[in-house]
Amino acid sequence: MMKRFGHRLMQQGTVLLRGEAATASENAGWMSVGFGGLNARMASSHAENTNQFISEALEHLEYPEKLQKMLLAPEREVSVELEVLRDSGEVDIYKAYRVQHCNSRGPYKGGLRYHPQVDLDDVRSLASLMTWKTAVMDIPFGGAKGGITVDPTTLSDREAEILTRKLVQALRPVLGTYEDIPAPDMNTGGREMAWLFDEYSKFNGFSPGIVTGKPVWLHGSLGREAATGRGTVFAIREALRALKLGEIKDKTFVIQGFGNVGSWAAQILHEQGGKVIAVADAFGAIANERGLDIPSLRRHIGDQHSLASYPDGIAVPKETILTVPCDVLIPAALGGVITEENVNDIQCKMIAEAANGPTTFEADVMLREKGVTVVPDIYTNGGGVTVSFFEWVQNLQNFKWTEDEVNEKLDACMTNSFRDIWEICESDKLPLRTAAFAKALQRVTRAKVHRGFE
């Protein structure tokens, strides 16, 4: 079925890249003290890994080379330098990026991250992932990503605000409520989104729809904070059912990363009867084979205690978290942590990728050979961008939904999206990741073809 779609597109004539390239002068907590495998992430190219996964799906679809080039190339890349007067009186200059990958299905959409490892290659890869993620979730957005190369722990509140407002001023020509809509990402949250909304509104009038992930009391959406973690749980539930592995109750889970996404996923899994037996953050890890008391652990961390000091568990080296035996492993931190070097030590039945790009292409192939099912990132962590869409819709309508309404709509989106992926997985005998990319490529390509290329 999918291959026939590729053949039909090949018969529709020459495909040209419509966009332009321009260069100018979705809260996991700061993770610069990496987990095991982070060095491998730094050594490999995020863009290369993403393109390898996409190329695998393109090969299955039998798309012509010219169409493949069109789908992989970003439509615009912007690089800027932001000058900030520090509290010390010194002037520092920070590099920032915004990559707009594709807007065939709707406005560009993607987060802004503040991290010392942000670079153009990283942002380009994540922008591409957003294109496929919004397509997999079947919401009317395209893909973009942005970031500033900065260690946010070195900034005062004043410096962070100035840096954010400078970024808005620099990117204002390419942002817009119907053009490009940023959102929180690593080390950014409601505070930064409120600054962005305010700064943009100074130039363009009241514009709450310019950004999502805003505080609830400032035109944000109920349910947005937990959305990515909740969506991860919905994804796990659907995969377990499809694979006939039962329900979440009494399954064992290991979570690498205990920021916004990991902690909410842990909380909701705990509420549904799952046993979270080990979690890790950037500084340590804790385990309890009987299952951690997640609400108690979250209170412990909320009281400014370290995760590893939690008394109802055993501290373990954070580098070993990926190898703890479990039913479902949830990487919820940085990308590139599951590699050729550690994949053979992983002892789980399923991996649910709550992080962006946690598995390298080589490791993914080895996991297939081991019989480990990988629920891919472009679907698993799609809950965040889905509820961002809900927030955007509420802003356009000047109307607010209840949290139950938001969660019910998110559940329906995650369920329907998995059904679409699983149909391709079963009919074409593909891994879940390849099936997800194939479905996304199909939707994006149809939009491009039917909109035309002149």
Side-chain angles (χ1 to χ4, degrees):
M1 177 183 67
M2 299 294 289
K3 289 184 178 180
R4 289 198 298 273
F5 177 73
H7 286 306
R8 288 199 302 273
L9 288 172
M10 286 162 51
Q11 296 168 0
Q12 294 190 31
T14 302
V15 175
L16 300 175
L17 183 59
R18 174 170 51 88
E20 64 181 273
T23 304
S25 258
E26 313 255 314
N27 300 328
W30 189 53
M31 299 293 177
S32 68
V33 182
F35 296 104
L38 181 55
N39 288 338
R41 170 191 176 271
M42 296 170 64
S44 66
S45 164
H46 273 196
E48 183 180 351
N49 278 325
T50 302
N51 285 346
Q52 283 181 296
F53 288 131
I54 297 168
S55 295
E56 192 174 37
L58 287 168
E59 181 178 352
H60 174 74
L61 294 169
E62 297 183 354
Y63 279 7
E65 185 177 353
K66 56 194 174 187
L67 183 56
Q68 296 185 33
K69 288 181 178 179
M70 177 197 70
L71 291 168
L72 295 179
E75 294 176 350
R76 179 186 286 127
E77 296 181 350
V78 180
S79 300
V80 297
E81 293 186 346
L82 309 174
E83 299 176 357
V84 174
L85 179 63
R86 303 295 299 270
D87 295 342
S88 64
E90 298 294 322
V91 173
D92 281 346
I93 299 176
Y94 300 93
K95 290 186 178 297
Y97 310 94
R98 187 69 175 174
V99 174
Q100 297 171 332
H101 180 262
C102 178
N103 68 347
S104 292
R105 301 184 65 256
Y108 300 109
K109 188 77 181 80
L112 291 169
R113 57 176 48 192
Y114 294 178
H115 195 278
Q117 293 174 355
V118 166
D119 59 27
L120 186 57
D121 176 75
D122 190 52
V123 174
R124 184 185 295 123
S125 171
L126 294 170
S128 172
L129 278 175
M130 285 302 300
T131 296
W132 318 123
K133 188 181 300 183
T134 55
V136 162
M137 301 309 300
D138 201 18
I139 55 177
F141 282 144
K145 208 72 170 186
I148 303 177
T149 309
V150 60
D151 176 352
T153 65
T154 66
L155 301 175
S156 67
D157 288 348
R158 186 196 72 86
E159 292 167 342
E161 180 175 354
I162 290 173
L163 187 62
T164 302
R165 292 182 183 274
K166 289 262 191 174
L167 179 66
V168 177
Q169 294 165 17
L171 296 182
R172 188 166 60 89
V174 300
L175 301 180
T177 301
Y178 295 96
E179 176 70 20
D180 186 348
I181 307 149
D185 200 90
M186 191 175 297
N187 301 317
T188 58
R191 182 183 71 162
E192 289 77 16
M193 299 306 105
W195 292 334
L196 196 156
F197 156 55
D198 180 71
E199 188 67 21
Y200 186 85
S201 294
K202 288 179 181 178
F203 298 95
N204 296 276
F206 180 67
S207 306
I210 183 58
V211 64
T212 59
K214 301 179 296 293
V216 173
W217 56 89
L218 196 65
H219 313 290
S221 175
L222 295 167
R224 175 63 182 86
E225 181 184 356
T228 308
R230 188 178 300 277
T232 296
V233 176
F234 290 149
I236 292 168
R237 180 197 67 194
E238 293 304 307
L240 287 172
R241 289 175 178 175
L243 293 166
K244 296 180 171 51
L245 295 176
E247 299 293 328
I248 286 173
K249 183 176 173 60
D250 295 327
K251 293 289 189 298
T252 56
F253 300 87
V254 170
I255 303 177
Q256 185 211 38
F258 208 66
N260 174 274
V261 178
S263 62
W264 273 111
Q267 175 74 29
I268 297 166
L269 288 168
H270 179 83
E271 292 171 357
Q272 296 188 9
K275 293 169 60 177
V276 181
I277 60 173
V279 299
D281 63 11
F283 309 103
I286 194 79
N288 186 328
E289 62 181 7
R290 301 186 308 276
L292 293 161
D293 184 340
I294 298 301
S296 172
L297 176 58
R298 294 184 76 193
R299 288 193 298 271
H300 175 81
I301 295 172
D303 291 336
Q304 306 303 311
H305 300 298
S306 69
L307 182 145
S309 67
Y310 181 63
D312 190 21
I314 300 172
V316 297
K318 67 180 187 294
E319 293 81 10
T320 66
I321 191 72
L322 296 173
T323 64
V324 176
C326 61
D327 292 316
V328 182
L329 172 64
I330 306 173
L334 288 176
V337 295
I338 299 176
T339 69
E340 289 178 280
E341 287 71 29
N342 62 17
V343 67
N344 287 325
D345 297 324
I346 289 174
Q347 304 176 68
C348 63
K349 299 173 183 175
M350 179 190 298
I351 295 173
E353 296 182 330
N356 284 317
T359 309
T360 67
F361 180 80
E362 294 78 13
D364 192 68
V365 172
M366 295 170 71
L367 286 167
R368 297 174 201 174
E369 295 170 352
K370 289 181 62 174
V372 177
T373 298
V374 179
V375 189
D377 52 358
I378 62 167
Y379 166 67
T380 302
N381 62 34
V385 71
T386 301
V387 177
S388 282
F389 168 61
F390 298 161
E391 179 180 336
W392 184 66
V393 170
Q394 292 171 79
N395 291 158
L396 296 182
Q397 295 177 335
N398 283 313
F399 189 78
K400 187 175 286 292
W401 301 342
T402 67
E403 186 167 359
D404 285 344
E405 286 179 302
V406 170
N407 292 340
E408 287 171 8
K409 293 177 190 296
L410 173 60
D411 192 350
C413 282
M414 296 299 297
T415 300
N416 293 337
S417 296
F418 186 86
R419 179 200 61 209
D420 293 340
I421 297 168
W422 186 251
E423 285 178 359
I424 298 172
C425 182
E426 288 286 275
S427 65
D428 291 17
K429 306 303 180 187
L430 297 174
L432 276 173
R433 189 191 306 280
T434 310
F437 274 112
K439 189 63 181 180
L441 286 160
Q442 181 186 43
R443 286 174 172 158
V444 172
T445 306
R446 277 179 172 165
K448 281 184 172 288
V449 168
H450 287 281
R451 289 185 67 166
F453 303 100
E454 296 301 327

